[in-house]
PDB file of all heavy atoms in Angstrom:
ATOM      1  N   GLU A   2     115.128  99.640 174.115  1.00 41.00           N
ATOM      2  CA  GLU A   2     115.147  99.343 172.654  1.00 41.00           C
ATOM      3  C   GLU A   2     114.444  98.010 172.453  1.00 41.00           C
ATOM      4  O   GLU A   2     113.878  97.861 171.419  1.00 41.00           O
ATOM      5  CB  GLU A   2     116.590  99.221 172.249  1.00 41.00           C
ATOM      6  CG  GLU A   2     117.352 100.539 172.145  1.00 41.00           C
ATOM      7  CD  GLU A   2     118.858 100.488 172.109  1.00 41.00           C
ATOM      8  OE1 GLU A   2     119.355  99.298 171.953  1.00 41.00           O
ATOM      9  OE2 GLU A   2     119.657 101.359 172.279  1.00 41.00           O
ATOM     10  N   ARG A   3     114.674  97.002 173.310  1.00 41.00           N
ATOM     11  CA  ARG A   3     114.043  95.731 173.224  1.00 41.00           C
ATOM     12  C   ARG A   3     112.439  95.872 173.210  1.00 41.00           C
ATOM     13  O   ARG A   3     111.836  95.286 172.376  1.00 41.00           O
ATOM     14  CB  ARG A   3     114.524  94.753 174.454  1.00 41.00           C
ATOM     15  CG  ARG A   3     113.935  93.426 174.407  1.00 41.00           C
ATOM     16  CD  ARG A   3     114.550  92.596 173.285  1.00 41.00           C
ATOM     17  NE  ARG A   3     114.095  91.245 173.235  1.00 41.00           N
ATOM     18  CZ  ARG A   3     114.574  90.313 172.429  1.00 41.00           C
ATOM     19  NH1 ARG A   3     115.572  90.545 171.503  1.00 41.00           N
ATOM     20  NH2 ARG A   3     114.012  89.066 172.385  1.00 41.00           N
ATOM     21  N   ARG A   4     111.926  96.580 174.085  1.00 40.00           N
ATOM     22  CA  ARG A   4     110.501  96.783 174.231  1.00 40.00           C
ATOM     23  C   ARG A   4     109.988  97.410 172.999  1.00 40.00           C
ATOM     24  O   ARG A   4     108.916  97.038 172.499  1.00 40.00           O
ATOM     25  CB  ARG A   4     110.179  97.725 175.436  1.00 40.00           C
ATOM     26  CG  ARG A   4     108.696  97.908 175.497  1.00 40.00           C
ATOM     27  CD  ARG A   4     108.366  98.890 176.708  1.00 40.00           C
ATOM     28  NE  ARG A   4     108.873 100.149 176.292  1.00 40.00           N
ATOM     29  CZ  ARG A   4     108.232 100.953 175.522  1.00 40.00           C
ATOM     30  NH1 ARG A   4     107.032 100.674 174.869  1.00 40.00           N
ATOM     31  NH2 ARG A   4     108.650 102.209 175.230  1.00 40.00           N
ATOM     32  N   THR A   5     110.774  98.363 172.373  1.00 40.00           N
ATOM     33  CA  THR A   5     110.291  99.146 171.224  1.00 40.00           C
ATOM     34  C   THR A   5     110.271  98.158 170.082  1.00 40.00           C
ATOM     35  O   THR A   5     109.265  98.133 169.283  1.00 40.00           O
ATOM     36  CB  THR A   5     111.291 100.398 170.956  1.00 40.00           C
ATOM     37  OG1 THR A   5     111.294 101.251 171.946  1.00 40.00           O
ATOM     38  CG2 THR A   5     110.779 101.018 169.685  1.00 40.00           C
ATOM     39  N   ALA A   6     111.156  97.308 169.837  1.00 39.00           N
ATOM     40  CA  ALA A   6     111.299  96.432 168.788  1.00 39.00           C
ATOM     41  C   ALA A   6     110.092  95.467 168.800  1.00 39.00           C
ATOM     42  O   ALA A   6     109.385  95.117 167.804  1.00 39.00           O
ATOM     43  CB  ALA A   6     112.697  95.579 168.736  1.00 39.00           C
ATOM     44  N   VAL A   7     109.836  95.009 170.164  1.00 39.00           N
ATOM     45  CA  VAL A   7     108.659  94.029 170.213  1.00 39.00           C
ATOM     46  C   VAL A   7     107.278  94.827 169.927  1.00 39.00           C
ATOM     47  O   VAL A   7     106.437  94.311 169.190  1.00 39.00           O
ATOM     48  CB  VAL A   7     108.677  93.519 171.678  1.00 39.00           C
ATOM     49  CG1 VAL A   7     107.454  92.734 171.939  1.00 39.00           C
ATOM     50  CG2 VAL A   7     109.871  92.609 171.852  1.00 39.00           C
ATOM     51  N   ASP A   8     107.273  96.015 170.361  1.00 42.00           N
ATOM     52  CA  ASP A   8     105.996  96.781 170.119  1.00 42.00           C
ATOM     53  C   ASP A   8     105.896  97.102 168.695  1.00 42.00           C
ATOM     54  O   ASP A   8     104.828  97.173 168.227  1.00 42.00           O
ATOM     55  CB  ASP A   8     106.167  98.210 170.928  1.00 42.00           C
ATOM     56  CG  ASP A   8     105.824  98.015 172.429  1.00 42.00           C
ATOM     57  OD1 ASP A   8     105.432  96.861 172.869  1.00 42.00           O
ATOM     58  OD2 ASP A   8     106.015  98.950 173.071  1.00 42.00           O
ATOM     59  N   ALA A   9     106.897  97.008 167.985  1.00 41.00           N
ATOM     60  CA  ALA A   9     106.873  97.322 166.531  1.00 41.00           C
ATOM     61  C   ALA A   9     106.404  96.193 165.653  1.00 41.00           C
ATOM     62  O   ALA A   9     106.158  96.472 164.519  1.00 41.00           O
ATOM     63  CB  ALA A   9     108.248  97.808 166.042  1.00 41.00           C
ATOM     64  N   ARG A  10     106.194  95.068 166.286  1.00 40.00           N
ATOM     65  CA  ARG A  10     105.906  93.920 165.476  1.00 40.00           C
ATOM     66  C   ARG A  10     104.682  94.090 164.485  1.00 40.00           C
ATOM     67  O   ARG A  10     104.735  93.574 163.342  1.00 40.00           O
ATOM     68  CB  ARG A  10     105.507  92.633 166.431  1.00 40.00           C
ATOM     69  CG  ARG A  10     106.706  92.265 167.039  1.00 40.00           C
ATOM     70  CD  ARG A  10     106.364  91.071 168.062  1.00 40.00           C
ATOM     71  NE  ARG A  10     107.596  90.745 168.793  1.00 40.00           N
ATOM     72  CZ  ARG A  10     107.815  89.602 169.322  1.00 40.00           C
ATOM     73  NH1 ARG A  10     107.149  88.492 168.994  1.00 40.00           N
ATOM     74  NH2 ARG A  10     108.933  89.286 169.956  1.00 40.00           N
ATOM     75  N   ALA A  11     103.621  94.676 164.943  1.00 39.00           N
ATOM     76  CA  ALA A  11     102.466  94.851 164.023  1.00 39.00           C
ATOM     77  C   ALA A  11     102.590  96.230 163.358  1.00 39.00           C
ATOM     78  O   ALA A  11     101.649  96.489 162.415  1.00 39.00           O
ATOM     79  CB  ALA A  11     101.217  94.985 164.948  1.00 39.00           C
ATOM     80  N   PHE A  12     103.679  96.901 163.442  1.00 42.00           N
ATOM     81  CA  PHE A  12     103.795  98.293 162.768  1.00 42.00           C
ATOM     82  C   PHE A  12     105.026  98.492 162.028  1.00 42.00           C
ATOM     83  O   PHE A  12     105.438  99.683 161.820  1.00 42.00           O
ATOM     84  CB  PHE A  12     103.508  99.224 163.790  1.00 42.00           C
ATOM     85  CG  PHE A  12     102.462  99.174 164.716  1.00 42.00           C
ATOM     86  CD1 PHE A  12     102.552  98.675 166.071  1.00 42.00           C
ATOM     87  CD2 PHE A  12     101.156  99.453 164.137  1.00 42.00           C
ATOM     88  CE1 PHE A  12     101.437  98.429 166.724  1.00 42.00           C
ATOM     89  CE2 PHE A  12      99.957  99.259 165.056  1.00 42.00           C
ATOM     90  CZ  PHE A  12     100.149  98.826 166.250  1.00 42.00           C
ATOM     91  N   VAL A  13     105.733  97.387 161.562  1.00 45.00           N
ATOM     92  CA  VAL A  13     107.059  97.650 161.010  1.00 45.00           C
ATOM     93  C   VAL A  13     107.070  98.410 159.788  1.00 45.00           C
ATOM     94  O   VAL A  13     108.187  98.924 159.367  1.00 45.00           O
ATOM     95  CB  VAL A  13     107.782  96.215 160.866  1.00 45.00           C
ATOM     96  CG1 VAL A  13     108.257  95.724 162.118  1.00 45.00           C
ATOM     97  CG2 VAL A  13     107.008  95.324 160.016  1.00 45.00           C
ATOM     98  N   ASN A  14     105.925  98.541 159.123  1.00 49.00           N
ATOM     99  CA  ASN A  14     105.863  99.239 157.816  1.00 49.00           C
ATOM    100  C   ASN A  14     105.472 100.782 158.257  1.00 49.00           C
ATOM    101  O   ASN A  14     105.214 101.472 157.258  1.00 49.00           O
ATOM    102  CB  ASN A  14     104.748  98.638 156.762  1.00 49.00           C
ATOM    103  CG  ASN A  14     105.194  97.440 156.499  1.00 49.00           C
ATOM    104  OD1 ASN A  14     106.446  97.165 156.060  1.00 49.00           O
ATOM    105  ND2 ASN A  14     104.457  96.499 156.155  1.00 49.00           N
TER     106      ASN A  14
END
Side-chain angles (χ1 to χ4, degrees):
E2 293 170 5
R3 180 75 180 180
R4 182 186 66 80
T5 301
V7 172
D8 286 350
R10 290 183 187 211
F12 308 105
V13 289
N14 289 326

